[in-house]
């Protein structure tokens, strides 16, 4: 209870008080003159209802607050003592015992109650103004009930900027204080801390309106509020309060379940019993100025200029490369170190591959049946990607019958790129362009309802004032307009800008490739990795959509919309793996329809995992079985290059007969050495990693199921990329300067990004109050927090990762495809 004394009233005020007391004639007698700071003890019953009158004088421009403390020893709920406080502009009343209701209709009664009366507004009069307060004590009890009454004037009612204030509150003794905006401050942050986690509290910001809602059952009726354990922070703007002042209200809840606590074990099962629990909490409140408008401008300039520098760097690299190619072309010499991915010369190269890069002992003439330079990619005029019925995607290979036996070709121990790039180039390119058009369709239909939903969430937060709906980092949440945390949204601009830049880089390569096709460049047709850009375009769109959906998620991050932030991360990881596989398996890569259908299944599992994965063991058993079986099925598909089909003769028993035969021939007869050793090593390691994930999930059942699945995707992608680079170096292939730089930059930026990702500034897996315990101040420009830095760095890391996939095989542009091994 905050206490304070007041100077003795003047002679005029004393005369006024005694005149009122003498003229008053209440039900139980005349008004009793009261003095501030004096404890009044008495009894009350149905026939004796005393009324106390307190008078005080307010100085001009000063806000005076009065606090009333009452106590009653009676616990008789049938005959409570009623206290009614009458002021000039309002009435405040309560009863003792004061009853609070908790979960499952449990009740809690308190014998000691203290309330702060709604203060009188400051008057512009030159002289002091006189105020009178009447306190009525009443009860319908036919017997005497003892009570105590104490009325004091608060000395520290107005909070000061940058000055900490300590006080104590309880459910029956809430506290609130006044704050006025200084002249040069437009926004402030109210920071509240406590050493104890419980009891659970509520911090509310309310306009200067009487009555003040300062009890557990009505604190949510007005203003902005948060639940709190050890820490809370609310940003308040001057424009939201026309009077340029507000109340900060502190309420202690009768139970802790709202903050993640449990009902006291001593009262489990006693629903109808009342409990007088002593729940007090020491709190400290500090109000500090928030950032100025100039910081918003600086932050926006920093965000855009940081990523526009990538555009400048890309232009410089493209210009330098153009100059180098022109000089070497004029000198009549070109080398694979140009790193363009496109050869602009039609002069033959005699040395097609370095020694030792044949990746096996089989001669090149056996790798493609003696048709290395008569690839079906030469079919129609180069660059004529016109729509016709002939060019529609088909399940049949458009090549001569003698060359179409895939089983014969793909069963060779050593495969070369020419063996898996035999389909017509136009058909394959159209097949991969479907990835691009499908992801655009998915993005539109996915993003529109997401935007509508988060706008609704933000509207609900602004209208109700319930800041427990969204899990922000409230110590670094800078509002702008209707948005509560503009910094978390602005930091996603990097995904959109770098995604668009990647699309421009891919478009440049696509245009150069088309020009080379138009001049029927032999090196474009029969050398290097086949250029299909559909998956790259899809990756660029996915990166941009990750920025859009992450921004949508951070409009109001919570349990219900977490999947907005992760859905396209699954797609990015999946598309990267597909692109890596497509590089040397262009004819047998998955179609867009099956790939996106697989992503849809993953997203469905992610949603089910969040709903059922916390406590339901059956879900983890089913998911682990699906995970292991999917790993085995995909491994079989990769190992046999799409040739393994469980299609028995006529009966269902043929399926098992086929599986048993494959198991016997490939695992028992050749157990000493698999036919495809490199693929077997990769798949064994991959299956061990995935089975480890499945066992970990089954044993520990992580609460953040979305991040768990994302971790599975990322680990598989990193494993495959490492295998690809190792096999590339093992085959005596080169890493040119640009892909080498991108690999190093990717590793460094990802390491830095993950450091900030694991800072955990909030968590929707916990209650809002528990999540706020993890909140931390801004670390960059006074505007961005750790998670914003994660957004910046992850955007750059994804961009460099895409460049790695785009440039990794630029050294093969002058190598014949029947010399490029498949792994």
């Amino acid at each position: 209870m905050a206490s304070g004394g007041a100077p003795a009233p003047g002679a005029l005020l004393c005369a006024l008080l005694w005149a009122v007391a003498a003229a008053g004639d209440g039900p139980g007698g005349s008004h009793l003159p009261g003095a501030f700071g004096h404890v009044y003890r008495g009894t009350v019953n149905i026939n004796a209802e005393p009324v106390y009158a307190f008078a005080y004088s307010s100085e001009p421009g000063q806000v005076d607050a009065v606090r009333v403390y009452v106590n009653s020893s009676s616990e008789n709920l049938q005959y409570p003592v009623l206290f009614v406080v009458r002021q000039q502009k309002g009435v405040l009343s309560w009863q003792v015992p004061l009853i609070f209701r908790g979960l499952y209709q449990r009740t809690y009664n308190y014998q000691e109650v203290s309330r702060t009366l709604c203060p009188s507004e400051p008057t512009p009069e030159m002289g002091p103004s006189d105020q009178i307060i009447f306190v009525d004590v009443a009860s319908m009890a036919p017997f005497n009930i003892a009570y105590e009454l104490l009325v004091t004037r608060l000395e520290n009612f107005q909070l000061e900027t940058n000055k900490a204030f300590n006080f104590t509150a309880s459910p029956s003794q809430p506290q609130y204080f006044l704050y006025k905006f200084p002249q040069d401050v437009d926004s402030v942050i109210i920071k509240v801390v406590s050493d104890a986690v419980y009891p659970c509290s509520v911090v509310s910001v309310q306009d200067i309106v009487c009555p003040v809602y300062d009890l557990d059952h009505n604190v949510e009726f007005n203003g902005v509020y948060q639940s709190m354990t050890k820490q809370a922070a609310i940003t308040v703007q001057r424009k939201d309060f026309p009077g340029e002042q507000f109340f900060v209200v502190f309420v202690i809840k009768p139970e802790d379940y709202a903050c993640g606590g449990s009902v006291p074990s001593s009262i489990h099962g006693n629903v109808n019993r009342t409990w007088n629990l002593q729940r007090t909490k020491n709190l400290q409140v500090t109000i500090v100025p928030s950032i100025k408008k100039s910081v918003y401008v600086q932050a926006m300039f920093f965000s855009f200029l940081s990523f526009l520098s990538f555009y400048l760097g890309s232009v410089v690299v493209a210009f330098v490369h153009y100059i180098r190619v022109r000089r070497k072309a004029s000198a009549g010499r070109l080398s694979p170190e140009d790193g363009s991915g496109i050869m602009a010369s039609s002069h033959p190269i005699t040395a097609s591959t370095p020694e030792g890069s044949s990746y096996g002992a089989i001669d090149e003439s056996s790798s493609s049946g003696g048709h290395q330079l008569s690839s079906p990619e030469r079919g129609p005029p180069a660059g004529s990607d016109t729509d016709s019925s002939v060019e529609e995607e088909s399940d049949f290979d458009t090549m001569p019958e003698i060359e179409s036996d895939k089983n014969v070709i793909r069963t060779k121990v050593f495969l070369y790129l020419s063996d898996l790039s035999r389909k017509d180039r136009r058909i394959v390119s159209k097949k991969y362009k479907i990835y691009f058009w499908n992801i655009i369709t998915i993005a539109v239909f996915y993003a529109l309802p997401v935007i509508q939903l988060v706008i609704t969430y933000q509207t609900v937060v602004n209208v109700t004032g319930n800041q427990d709906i969204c899990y922000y980092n409230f110590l670094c949440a800078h509002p702008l307009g209707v948005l509560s945390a503009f910094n978390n949204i602005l930091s996603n601009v990097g995904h959109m800008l770098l995604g668009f830049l990647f699309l421009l880089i891919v478009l440049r390569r696509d245009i150069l490739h088309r020009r080379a096709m138009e001049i029927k460049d032999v090196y474009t047709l029969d050398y290097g990795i086949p250029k299909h850009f559909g998956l790259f375009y899809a990756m660029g769109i996915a990166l941009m959509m990750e920025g859009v959906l992450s921004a949508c998620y951070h409009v109001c991050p919570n349990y219900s919309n977490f999947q907005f932030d992760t859905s396209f991360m699954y797609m990015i990881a999946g598309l990267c793996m597909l692109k890596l596989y497509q590089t040397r398996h262009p004819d047998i890569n998955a179609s867009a329809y099956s790939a996106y259908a697989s992503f849809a299944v993953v997203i469905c599992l992610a949603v089910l995992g969040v709903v059922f994965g916390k406590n339901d063991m059956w879900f983890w058993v089913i998911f682990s079985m699906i995970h292991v079986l999917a790993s085995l099925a995909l491994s079989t598909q990769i190992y046999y290059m799409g040739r393994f089909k469980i299609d028995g003769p006529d009966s269902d028993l043929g399926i098992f007969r086929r599986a048993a035969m494959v198991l016997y021939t490939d695992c028992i007869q050749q157990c000493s050495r698999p036919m495809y050793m490199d693929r077997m090593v990769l798949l064994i390691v991959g299956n061990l990693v995935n089975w480890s994930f499945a066992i970990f999930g089954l044993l520990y059942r992580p609460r953040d199921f979305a991040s768990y699945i994302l971790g599975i995707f990322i680990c598989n992608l990193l494993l495959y990329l490492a295998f690809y680079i190792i096999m590339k170096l093992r085959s005596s292939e080169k890493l040119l300067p640009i892909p080498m730089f991108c690999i190093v930059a990717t590793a460094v930026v990802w390491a830095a990004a993950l450091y900030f990702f694991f800072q955990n500034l909030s968590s929707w897996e916990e209650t809002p109050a528990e999540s706020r315990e993890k909140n931390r101040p801004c670390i960059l420009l006074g505007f961005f927090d750790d998670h914003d830095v994660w957004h910046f760095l992850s955007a750059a890391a994804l961009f460099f990762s895409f460049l790695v996939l785009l440039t990794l095989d630029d050294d093969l542009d002058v190598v014949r495809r029947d010399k490029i091994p498949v792994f």
Side-chain angles (χ1 to χ4, degrees):
M1 179 185 66
S3 63
L12 178 61
L13 190 60
C14 287
L16 175 63
L17 179 58
W18 282 106
V20 170
D25 190 12
S30 301
H31 294 155
L32 304 175
F36 289 102
H38 179 74
V39 178
Y40 293 90
R41 295 180 177 88
T43 59
V44 62
N45 56 49
I46 191 171
N47 297 316
E49 299 178 353
V51 179
Y52 297 87
F54 298 85
Y56 63 96
S57 178
S58 297
E59 297 297 329
Q62 177 182 348
V63 179
D64 288 295
V66 176
R67 191 165 181 86
V68 179
Y69 167 85
V70 297
N71 180 24
S72 174
S73 60
S74 173
E75 296 186 7
N76 192 331
L77 301 182
Q78 299 299 320
Y79 298 104
V81 181
L82 305 179
F83 293 88
V84 180
V85 181
R86 291 176 286 154
Q87 296 177 265
Q88 180 178 347
K89 294 185 178 180
V91 176
L92 181 65
S93 64
W94 64 89
Q95 70 178 48
V96 177
L98 184 61
I99 304 300
F100 292 99
R101 294 195 176 274
L103 192 64
Y104 307 122
Q105 298 304 312
R106 289 187 171 88
T107 56
Y108 306 89
N109 68 306
Y110 289 83
Q111 307 303 119
E112 297 181 1
V113 180
S114 65
R115 305 282 297 277
T116 300
L117 305 185
C118 194
S120 58
E121 298 179 2
T123 58
E125 301 175 0
M126 297 302 296
S129 60
D130 299 328
Q131 304 290 332
I132 300 177
I133 299 173
F134 296 99
V135 180
D136 298 13
V137 184
S139 177
M140 298 297 290
F143 48 86
N144 290 336
I145 299 178
Y147 68 88
E148 290 183 357
L149 172 66
L150 172 65
V151 180
T152 61
R153 294 179 69 178
L154 297 181
E155 293 180 345
N156 300 310
F157 181 67
Q158 185 168 333
L159 299 175
E160 299 181 14
T161 307
N162 292 319
K163 185 176 180 180
F165 180 69
N166 298 278
F167 60 96
T168 302
S170 70
S172 62
Q173 301 183 38
Q175 299 271 14
Y176 65 86
F177 304 95
L178 175 70
Y179 179 80
K180 295 181 179 180
F181 280 98
Q183 291 297 325
D184 57 342
V185 175
D186 294 326
S187 178
V188 295
I189 301 178
I190 304 170
K191 299 180 179 181
V192 187
V193 295
S194 175
D195 294 333
V197 175
Y198 301 117
C200 179
S201 349
V202 175
V203 182
S204 174
V205 176
Q206 302 179 19
D207 201 359
I208 306 295
V209 178
C210 294
V212 178
Y213 298 99
D214 60 349
L215 293 177
D216 175 58
H217 65 272
N218 62 18
V219 68
E220 300 175 358
F221 290 175
N222 187 26
V224 178
Y225 61 91
Q226 296 179 0
S227 59
M228 169 189 166
T229 52
K230 299 182 67 174
Q231 181 174 255
I234 301 178
T235 300
V236 183
Q237 302 182 80
R238 181 196 293 265
K239 66 180 182 63
D240 296 330
F241 295 92
E244 299 183 353
Q245 55 186 348
F246 55 83
F247 289 135
V248 186
V249 184
F250 303 91
V251 175
I252 309 300
K253 299 185 75 67
E255 291 181 346
D256 297 327
Y257 67 89
C259 295
S262 58
V263 178
S265 58
S266 60
I267 63 174
H268 278 300
N270 298 286
V271 178
N272 298 320
R273 190 174 173 186
T274 60
W275 297 87
N276 192 346
L277 302 179
Q278 299 300 320
R279 295 167 57 83
T280 60
K281 189 166 189 173
N282 297 321
L283 299 166
Q284 181 184 84
V285 57
T286 309
I287 300 182
V288 298
S290 184
I291 61 174
K292 299 182 180 295
K293 294 181 180 179
S294 59
V295 180
Y296 281 82
V297 178
Q298 295 173 5
M300 287 188 278
F301 270 106
F302 171 81
S303 301
F304 283 93
L305 292 179
S306 297
F307 294 105
L308 289 177
S309 63
F310 283 80
Y311 284 76
L312 178 61
S314 300
V315 171
V316 170
V317 170
F319 180 75
V320 170
H321 173 261
Y322 174 78
I323 296 300
R324 290 184 60 190
V325 169
R326 295 289 294 180
R327 287 180 178 177
K328 292 187 177 183
S330 61
R333 57 187 180 88
L334 283 174
S335 67
E337 283 77 8
D338 292 331
S340 64
I342 301 295
M343 295 303 299
S345 173
S346 59
H347 299 291
I349 297 178
T350 56
S352 61
T353 180
E355 185 68 26
S357 64
S358 59
Y359 191 71
I362 298 181
D363 186 76
E364 64 182 61
S365 60
S366 63
S367 64
S368 58
H371 293 275
Q372 281 83 2
L373 297 179
S374 59
S375 170
E377 292 188 358
R378 291 171 173 263
S384 60
D385 289 340
T386 58
D387 294 329
S388 68
S389 59
V390 178
E391 296 173 352
E392 293 298 326
E393 183 183 3
S394 171
D395 291 335
F396 301 97
D397 295 344
T398 54
M399 58 178 63
E401 184 70 23
I402 193 172
E403 296 179 0
S404 66
D405 191 353
K406 294 180 287 187
N407 288 331
V408 173
I409 294 174
R410 298 174 193 172
T411 50
K412 295 188 302 182
V413 176
F414 298 102
L415 282 174
Y416 295 89
L417 187 58
S418 57
D419 299 323
L420 299 180
S421 60
R422 303 168 63 85
K423 292 183 180 180
D424 188 283
R425 177 190 59 82
R426 296 167 302 159
I427 293 177
V428 177
S429 292
K430 286 184 177 296
K431 171 184 176 182
Y432 292 120
K433 284 180 181 177
I434 298 175
Y435 277 95
F436 172 67
W437 294 113
N438 278 11
I439 201 170
I440 290 180
T441 305
I442 293 170
V444 171
F445 280 91
Y446 195 94
L448 290 179
V450 166
I451 294 173
Q452 180 182 7
L453 179 62
V454 297
I455 290 175
T456 302
Y457 270 117
Q458 185 67 75
T459 303
V460 171
V461 172
N462 295 339
V463 171
T464 64
N466 183 6
Q467 295 198 350
D468 284 352
I469 296 176
C470 305
Y471 288 72
Y472 304 117
N473 174 20
F474 288 91
L475 288 175
C476 187
H478 303 298
L480 180 65
V482 298
L483 300 174
S484 299
F486 175 69
N487 54 300
N488 292 151
I489 298 172
L490 177 63
S491 58
N492 285 284
V493 70
H495 295 89
M496 291 175 272
L497 291 178
L498 294 184
F500 184 71
L501 175 59
F502 184 74
L503 289 177
L504 294 179
I505 294 174
V506 174
L507 178 62
R508 172 182 174 270
R509 289 201 165 213
D510 195 0
I511 292 174
L512 293 177
H513 177 67
R514 288 175 179 270
R515 289 178 180 174
M517 294 297 296
E518 289 175 357
I519 62 175
K520 300 182 180 180
D521 187 355
V522 65
Y523 298 105
T524 304
L525 295 175
D526 297 296
Y527 284 69
I529 302 296
K531 302 297 188 295
H532 304 299
F533 298 97
L535 271 169
F536 283 126
Y537 284 122
M539 290 160 57
I541 295 296
L543 181 56
M544 295 180 68
M545 285 307 302
E546 172 60 26
V548 172
L549 293 177
S550 178
C552 290
Y553 166 72
H554 285 285
V555 169
C556 182
N558 58 49
Y559 168 86
S560 302
N561 58 12
F562 75 95
Q563 66 270 23
F564 303 161
D565 195 26
T566 55
S567 296
F568 270 79
M569 285 299 295
Y570 303 145
M571 300 185 71
I572 288 174
L575 289 173
C576 289
M577 283 188 282
L578 286 172
K579 182 59 196 177
L580 204 56
Y581 187 79
Q582 178 230 13
T583 302
R584 308 208 181 206
H585 309 80
D587 287 356
I588 62 174
N589 204 20
S591 67
Y593 306 112
S594 59
Y596 288 129
S598 301
F599 298 152
V601 171
V602 171
I603 294 174
C604 289
L605 288 174
V607 174
L608 293 175
V610 172
V611 176
F612 300 107
K614 292 182 179 179
N615 302 312
D616 297 325
M617 186 66 183
W618 62 266
F619 171 81
W620 284 98
V621 172
I622 295 176
F623 175 78
S624 299
M625 291 177 61
I626 294 175
H627 187 186
V628 171
L629 292 176
S631 301
L632 291 174
L634 185 60
S635 300
T636 304
Q637 187 76 6
I638 293 174
Y639 185 75
Y640 289 102
M641 295 288 185
R643 293 178 293 105
F644 182 82
K645 295 185 181 297
I646 304 180
D647 49 356
D650 297 325
S651 63
D652 293 338
L653 295 177
I655 297 178
F656 300 101
R657 190 181 306 114
R658 166 71 170 167
M661 184 181 357
V662 171
L663 182 66
Y664 176 76
T665 56
D666 293 353
C667 297
I668 298 179
Q669 284 188 339
Q670 303 181 28
C671 187
S672 59
R673 180 179 178 84
M675 182 179 296
Y676 312 111
M677 177 59 72
D678 297 321
R679 273 178 272 169
M680 179 61 71
V681 172
L682 168 66
L683 295 175
I684 289 176
V685 176
N687 276 276
L688 290 177
V689 170
N690 283 277
W691 295 353
S692 300
F693 268 104
I695 295 173
F696 174 82
L698 196 60
L699 294 178
Y700 294 97
R701 299 193 294 277
R703 298 182 65 183
D704 192 352
F705 187 78
S707 298
Y708 170 75
I709 291 188
L710 186 58
I712 295 175
F713 269 84
I714 292 177
C715 283
N716 281 275
L717 174 60
L718 293 177
L719 177 64
Y720 190 25
L721 179 61
F723 169 81
Y724 190 94
I725 294 176
I726 291 173
M727 292 303 299
K728 182 178 177 67
L729 297 176
R730 184 180 167 208
S731 303
S732 300
E733 298 176 8
K734 298 180 180 179
L735 288 178
L736 299 183
I738 290 181
M740 179 63 73
F741 168 79
C742 292
I743 291 173
V744 174
T746 299
V748 172
V749 178
W750 267 125
L754 290 175
Y755 169 80
F756 289 99
F757 175 76
F758 288 112
Q759 294 307 304
N760 291 330
L761 303 180
S762 62
S763 174
W764 50 260
E765 303 169 27
E766 302 171 342
T767 63
E770 291 173 325
S771 174
R772 270 186 280 275
E773 294 180 18
K774 303 177 180 179
N775 290 176
R776 289 205 295 270
C778 307
I779 63 170
L780 180 62
L781 301 178
F783 191 83
F784 298 110
D785 60 17
D786 298 76
H787 198 74
D788 295 322
V789 177
W790 149 255
H791 286 162
F792 289 135
L793 294 178
S794 64
L798 286 170
F799 176 72
F800 283 124
S801 301
F802 289 0
L803 290 182
V804 170
L805 299 181
L806 183 65
T807 62
L808 188 58
D809 290 314
D810 283 351
D811 60 304
L812 302 179
D813 285 343
V814 292
V815 179
R816 285 172 49 164
R817 291 177 187 170
D818 56 355
K819 296 289 186 180
I820 300 176
V822 172
F823 39 79

